[in-house]
Amino acid sequence: MQEHVLDQEHRDFAAMVRAFVDREVAPFHDAWERQGLVDRQVWRAAGKAGLLGFDVPAEYGGGGTEDVRYPVLLAEELIRAGATGLGFALHNDVVGPYLNALATEEQKRRWLPGFCSGELVTAVAITEPAAGSDLQALTTSAVPAPDGDGFVLNGSKTFVTNGIHADLVIVAARTEPEDRLRGGLSLLVVERGMPGFERGRPLEKLGRHAQDTAELFFDDVRVPAANLLGRRGHGLRHLREHLVRERLSIAASAVAGAETVFAETLEYCRTRTAFGQPIGSFQHNRFELAEMSTEIDIARTYVDRCLLDHNAGRRDPVTAARAKWWTTDLQRRVVDRCLQLHGGYGYMREQSVARAFVDTRMMPIYGGTNEVMKELIGRSLGV
């Protein structure tokens, strides 16, 4: 984030996070990439450092602040270190708000302390193999249990971040198939060890190999009524209410990713020589750098304003959609142009720009594809 939107407490926090990343993440991330999964210990280390549950009330072990600048600063420091494999953003920026807003007092006492300590890793399971971004097409079902206590859950989910490590999974399931007006969905919390809850192997992705992503399967899973999150049949509404925070988190990460790759490329263009001069001194390359610098600065200014608006309670889904699609598309373009400026070296996997090239490609897809974002914006314009 830009300096003028931070105070000294934020700067001190960022320095603490940088030290945490240098100590607990950076030395191990390459090994996690090779093994396809981060070590579970890093979650407990993050909890001990106070990096989980920023907006969870202090009585449950959280930070007790709704200032979104803290989780964004955490995400930025991880990105600058090239540590794309951790699912802290999903845990903090997606699951946390669901639990804070929708959980009962009993559920909060049961789940939030472990959420903040890193003992409980969380996930959200929405996307299905045949449903993608179409929430109305979800087929995972939850029918009333024969004894009247809770639900029997059947179906499968895919592309679930934190799916392997997750101890708590918020599952979107169809409980009211006849209620198409409101979507007929409910949110159920499935816990590790429930009979019938199985995980597939970690999915082999194009990039972000350390990131825990999996398919989940539910075969007659008994989910007690005490694990219903929010109101029955209002799951679609609950999902939409919390997409703003998720999309702003993605936008902030996209800008940080673009800034990081650009800074490395700028230094490369200053030091790499060709035909007896630095490659950055050629007019075409200077123009490329000038354009990227300008676009990144504009994107950063817009996203910082969105974050401050969110803190002030101005939470507009259309603005979040604009931020999400523009910044992720910008990040994709910036990384591609930066790789080109590196020439053949940019195509080598040991180069950070090459890793960013494959890691970045998912950004215009998840959190709602950019095509869906444009549809939401277009509808708001009355067209």
Side-chain angles (χ1 to χ4, degrees):
M1 281 182 281
Q2 294 170 319
E3 279 292 313
H4 74 271
V5 303
L6 303 175
D7 58 28
Q8 190 57 47
E9 187 174 343
H10 294 110
R11 296 185 190 97
D12 292 343
F13 173 78
M16 182 272 286
V17 172
R18 200 169 303 123
F20 172 86
V21 172
D22 289 343
R23 182 179 67 253
E24 302 286 353
V25 177
F28 313 108
H29 197 267
D30 284 346
W32 296 340
E33 286 272 298
R34 291 191 296 271
Q35 71 185 25
L37 197 67
V38 305
D39 287 343
R40 182 64 182 252
Q41 175 57 32
V42 74
W43 283 90
R44 290 185 282 270
K48 186 176 181 180
L51 302 180
L52 303 177
F54 294 103
D55 54 356
V56 172
E59 63 188 286
Y60 304 112
T65 176
E66 294 186 0
D67 186 345
V68 296
R69 287 172 289 185
Y70 289 104
V72 166
L73 286 168
L74 169 60
E76 288 180 352
E77 292 301 329
L78 289 168
I79 289 165
R80 288 182 181 124
T84 58
L86 284 85
F88 294 164
L90 185 283
H91 188 80
N92 282 324
D93 295 324
V94 181
V95 179
Y98 280 118
L99 296 180
N100 279 327
L102 302 175
T104 65
E105 184 60 35
E106 184 275 334
Q107 289 172 335
K108 289 178 179 179
R109 289 197 304 270
R110 205 162 21 122
W111 296 326
L112 288 180
F115 178 96
C116 297
S117 70
E119 296 297 323
L120 294 181
V121 176
T122 62
V124 175
I126 301 174
T127 303
E128 296 179 0
S133 298
D134 185 2
L135 298 181
Q136 297 281 7
L138 300 183
T139 60
T140 296
S141 66
V143 300
D147 60 7
D149 180 23
F151 306 87
V152 178
L153 178 67
N154 282 282
S156 64
K157 300 289 184 178
T158 193
F159 308 143
V160 181
T161 301
N162 296 343
I164 297 297
H165 278 320
D167 304 290
L168 300 177
V169 183
I170 299 175
V171 179
R174 194 166 299 285
T175 54
E176 328 292 326
E178 71 287 348
D179 187 1
R180 300 306 255 182
L181 180 63
R182 292 184 299 180
L185 302 177
S186 298
L187 302 182
L188 304 177
V189 179
V190 176
E191 300 184 57
R192 178 183 292 277
M194 285 183 170
F197 172 32
E198 302 291 341
R199 307 161 202 259
R201 60 179 174 79
L203 296 174
E204 296 183 22
K205 304 182 295 299
L206 179 67
R208 298 181 181 240
H209 297 141
Q211 189 180 68
D212 173 357
T213 312
E215 287 186 297
L216 305 181
F217 304 95
F218 311 97
D219 183 13
D220 288 337
V221 178
R222 289 291 300 269
V223 182
N227 281 31
L228 172 67
L229 189 64
R231 295 180 62 185
R232 175 172 171 170
H234 286 247
L236 186 59
R237 179 178 179 179
H238 294 326
L239 291 171
R240 287 173 174 166
E241 288 172 346
H242 289 84
L243 284 172
V244 170
R245 170 81 176 269
E246 178 181 4
R247 287 168 181 166
L248 289 182
S249 173
I250 293 170
S253 295
V255 176
E259 289 172 336
T260 299
V261 171
F262 176 78
E264 294 171 352
T265 302
L266 181 60
E267 182 61 24
Y268 182 83
C269 289
R270 287 168 174 161
T271 56
R272 173 70 170 172
T273 60
F275 305 103
Q277 63 189 89
I279 64 171
S281 66
F282 292 105
Q283 186 184 60
H284 172 78
N285 293 346
R286 274 205 314 272
F287 281 11
E288 286 280 293
L289 294 167
E291 290 176 10
M292 287 189 285
S293 172
T294 302
E295 290 180 301
I296 292 169
D297 190 54
I298 291 170
R300 166 59 68 196
T301 300
Y302 184 73
V303 169
D304 283 354
R305 192 198 78 187
C306 289
L307 295 173
L308 293 179
D309 284 348
H310 191 278
N311 277 350
R314 297 185 292 272
R315 300 168 184 180
D316 176 26
V318 175
T319 298
R322 286 190 172 111
K324 192 271 177 182
W325 93 257
W326 175 257
T327 57
T328 56
D329 193 65
L330 172 64
Q331 182 189 20
R332 179 183 57 80
R333 289 186 282 111
V334 165
V335 172
D336 183 72
R337 294 165 83 179
C338 286
L339 189 150
Q340 185 72 19
L341 287 168
H342 278 76
Y345 286 106
Y347 202 63
M348 300 297 105
R349 291 191 63 177
E350 66 267 19
Q351 296 292 322
S352 58
V353 69
R355 294 194 299 273
F357 184 78
V358 291
D359 287 350
T360 294
R361 192 55 187 86
M362 68 170 284
M363 298 292 281
I365 298 172
Y366 86 133
T369 66
N370 283 0
E371 290 74 19
V372 171
M373 298 302 98
K374 294 174 187 179
E375 181 67 18
L376 292 173
I377 299 163
R379 289 179 183 177
S380 76
L381 301 175
V383 296

